[in-house]
Amino acid sequence: MYDYGIGGKNHFAADREAADQIFAAWPGGRTSARENRAFLGRAVKYLAAEAGIRQFLDIGTGLPTTSNVHEVAQAAAPSSRIVYVDSDPLVLAHARALLTSAPEGRTAYIQADIREPQAILDNPATREILDFSQPVALMLVAILHYVPDEWGPDGIIGTLLDALPSGSFLTASHISAEHDPAVAAWERTDRAAGIPAQMRDSSDFARLAFNGLELVPPGVVPVSDWRPAVRGPRPTPAEVSTYGGVAFKP
């Protein structure tokens, strides 16, 4: 559904049908998806080009689409290493065909569930590609709103961050209905389709994702306002309805 929303080509009829239901009730849904993807690209570029990060652990990858993490990171630093994680076997099939690393770097895809963070960390591919004695950028972009409170998201994030050394970063984004009540259509449609979903406001998201970390300016903001690439008019918070941030682990 996300790939469909950003204009990609890797999606299925069922994805389009569910997404169209969401977009009919929440017209800003497409804008939200596209702005979130642009935020991901800017965050990865910042991490690779400015913060000097060379390792990325991207959980909740989804179907490969435009401006994937390895493409952005390796454009800035060809030696970058990326481990992609998703629980969907269809994503695995596409990832094997579409994820091609720069010769100087490495990429891998593992099928794993965010509910089992230690299994992600202990996976042989994760351990082969990532050196946990060196800083790692943990990417939780557009995934935490699929981790309801009953799954214990604070414990999941804590386990992942505890494995990362000082100097690592966390990038995260999250859908919010605080500016547009129509966003509730996304939550209803996903739940009706059997997909766990939970909206949180920006303050709840910030406490969940970035507790104990040092936020990179401008902090937790609508994703369209996080270090925008160009000046000029941008979508309103209501049109975007997704917050994001990047934070440093001291």
Side-chain angles (χ1 to χ4, degrees):
M1 288 190 291
Y2 180 57
D3 180 76
Y4 176 59
I6 64 174
K9 298 179 180 179
N10 295 314
H11 48 261
F12 303 93
D15 302 321
R16 295 190 292 273
E17 181 179 348
D20 283 339
Q21 291 179 29
I22 294 172
F23 299 150
W26 174 28
R30 289 184 184 273
T31 299
S32 177
R34 291 170 178 164
E35 291 296 331
N36 182 78
R37 192 67 183 183
F39 161 72
L40 171 66
R42 295 195 304 274
V44 172
K45 184 176 181 180
Y46 161 78
L47 291 165
E50 297 185 42
I53 295 296
R54 298 293 179 264
Q55 304 187 109
F56 296 80
L57 178 58
D58 181 14
I59 301 178
T61 302
L63 288 166
T65 183
T66 57
S67 300
N68 298 291
V69 170
H70 75 286
E71 294 169 329
V72 177
Q74 291 179 348
S79 62
S80 296
R81 295 176 167 229
I82 297 89
V83 173
Y84 291 104
V85 183
D86 204 285
S87 60
D88 188 341
L90 288 173
V91 174
L92 175 60
H94 281 255
R96 285 174 172 163
L98 298 177
L99 297 182
T100 304
S101 172
E104 302 92 333
R106 295 281 302 279
T107 61
Y109 176 92
I110 66 173
Q111 186 178 339
D113 196 312
I114 194 172
R115 289 174 289 183
E116 300 177 345
Q118 196 60 51
I120 295 172
L121 297 168
D122 292 341
N123 188 284
T126 304
R127 290 291 167 178
E128 178 187 353
I129 289 182
L130 302 181
D131 177 0
F132 284 90
S133 69
Q134 299 297 316
V136 176
L138 173 62
M139 312 297 294
L140 298 177
V141 176
I143 183 63
L144 292 177
H145 45 244
Y146 294 115
V147 183
D149 287 344
E150 57 264 31
W151 286 9
D154 50 347
I156 292 170
I157 296 170
T159 297
L160 294 167
L161 287 174
D162 285 348
L164 306 184
S166 174
S168 295
F169 286 81
L170 168 62
T171 299
S173 65
H174 200 296
I175 289 176
S176 170
E178 60 188 289
H179 297 288
D180 183 1
V183 180
W186 158 81
E187 187 179 72
R188 289 194 303 270
T189 302
D190 276 5
R191 289 182 173 179
I195 302 170
Q198 180 174 337
M199 294 182 297
R200 298 179 177 94
D201 64 25
S202 56
S203 58
D204 288 339
F205 162 56
R207 285 193 296 269
L208 172 64
F210 303 117
N211 185 38
L213 304 179
E214 297 179 2
L215 282 161
V216 173
V220 175
V221 295
V223 289
S224 54
D225 292 338
W226 196 90
R227 301 192 171 208
V230 295
R231 295 182 179 180
R234 294 193 295 276
T236 66
E239 290 172 317
V240 177
S241 293
T242 301
Y243 279 87
V246 177
F248 172 80
K249 180 178 179 180

